[in-house]
Amino acid sequence: IVVALALIIYGIIMIYIESNKRKSKVKDFSSLSYKLAFCIGIIQCLALIPGTSRSGSTIIGAMLLGTSRFVATEFSFFMAVPTMLGASGVKLLKAGFGFSGFEWVVLGIGSLVAYVVSIVVIKFLIDYIRKNDFKSFGYYRIALGFIVLAYFYLLWCEIENAKLRMQGMQIMQNAKYKNNGKLKFKLWINNINICMKKDGFQLKRSEEHTSEL
């Protein structure tokens, strides 16, 4: 639910920002102050919330603070460099650098491919932003958020139905066990009666046999 709500809320904010055209105070990096950069960095912490995009939160925050769409997007990508390096460094420290030669080669190739792909994707996105706004991303996030909500709602319904089915089976088993208990008790009583009648018949026969003697 948190992920779905984050998708929907940030999508609404994106559409709101783009619909209310504000005059950008910062249109190039030379006008970006350290104070503003620090504030955007603090906003990046919102990415700790599940469903919150790091780049999305920084871009939205930067635009709300007065930067242009282009500056906000490019600065967000620059901020990703220390973040990615720090996260990768922590993972390497946890792993203990105990890699074999082949594993280092695989790690190097993977990093190189990821770098090349990221450059291509960032270039495409920067070119896209120069000609378009973030409304399409906002609608995409809202639609995805409702899809996630619908999925988890259906999953919850299925779980509740499964619980009801299990409870129904348990009730039937308990009723069957009680009925079997009653049946066994009746059979036990009948067996006692039969045994008593049989013992009485044998006792009567023995008395008759004694009297004859």
Side-chain angles (χ1 to χ4, degrees):
I1 295 177
V2 176
V3 174
L5 290 178
L7 288 169
I8 295 171
I9 291 172
Y10 282 102
I12 293 173
I13 294 174
M14 280 185 176
I15 296 172
Y16 172 78
I17 292 174
E18 293 294 354
S19 299
N20 294 271
K21 299 294 183 181
R22 298 183 180 183
K23 188 176 181 180
S24 302
K25 299 177 182 178
V26 180
K27 297 183 179 180
D28 52 51
F29 281 98
S30 60
S31 304
L32 187 65
S33 63
Y34 290 108
K35 180 181 178 181
L36 185 57
F38 177 79
C39 292
I40 298 173
I42 295 298
I43 293 173
Q44 186 176 221
C45 296
L46 292 173
L48 296 173
I49 302 173
T52 302
S53 167
R54 186 209 62 82
S55 58
S57 61
T58 53
I59 291 172
I60 291 174
M63 291 178 66
L64 288 174
L65 293 174
T67 67
S68 65
R69 188 187 308 116
F70 176 77
V71 172
T73 305
E74 196 165 7
F75 185 67
S76 176
F77 288 132
F78 284 141
M79 290 178 64
V81 176
T83 304
M84 299 298 179
L85 289 176
S88 300
V90 170
K91 288 185 178 180
L92 288 174
L93 288 174
K94 287 182 177 180
F97 294 93
F99 300 114
S100 63
F102 176 75
E103 289 173 336
W104 279 111
V105 172
V106 172
L107 181 62
I109 294 174
S111 300
L112 180 61
V113 172
Y115 173 76
V116 173
V117 172
S118 64
I119 292 298
V120 174
V121 172
I122 290 172
K123 185 178 183 304
F124 167 77
L125 186 58
I126 293 296
D127 292 338
Y128 175 85
I129 288 171
R130 286 175 177 171
K131 303 174 184 177
N132 304 277
D133 54 25
F134 286 119
K135 284 185 179 180
S136 58
F137 290 100
Y139 292 123
Y140 158 75
R141 289 182 65 94
I142 293 172
L144 182 60
F146 280 111
I147 291 173
V148 172
L149 279 177
Y151 170 77
F152 280 104
Y153 174 74
L154 293 175
L155 183 63
W156 176 79
C157 290
E158 185 63 29
I159 292 173
E160 291 299 316
N161 289 334
K163 288 181 180 179
L164 292 175
R165 288 194 295 268
M166 291 295 294
Q167 290 176 358
M169 292 175 63
Q170 189 67 33
I171 292 171
M172 292 176 65
Q173 288 178 356
N174 291 337
K176 186 177 179 181
Y177 177 77
K178 289 179 180 179
N179 291 333
N180 287 338
K182 291 179 180 179
L183 181 60
K184 288 179 180 179
F185 179 74
K186 289 180 180 179
L187 291 174
W188 180 68
I189 295 296
N190 290 335
N191 289 333
I192 293 176
N193 291 333
I194 292 171
C195 291
M196 290 177 68
K197 290 179 180 179
K198 185 177 180 182
D199 291 341
F201 177 75
Q202 290 177 351
L203 179 60
K204 185 177 180 181
R205 288 289 301 274
S206 63
E207 289 176 351
E208 290 176 354
H209 180 70
T210 304
S211 62
E212 289 175 359
L213 293 175

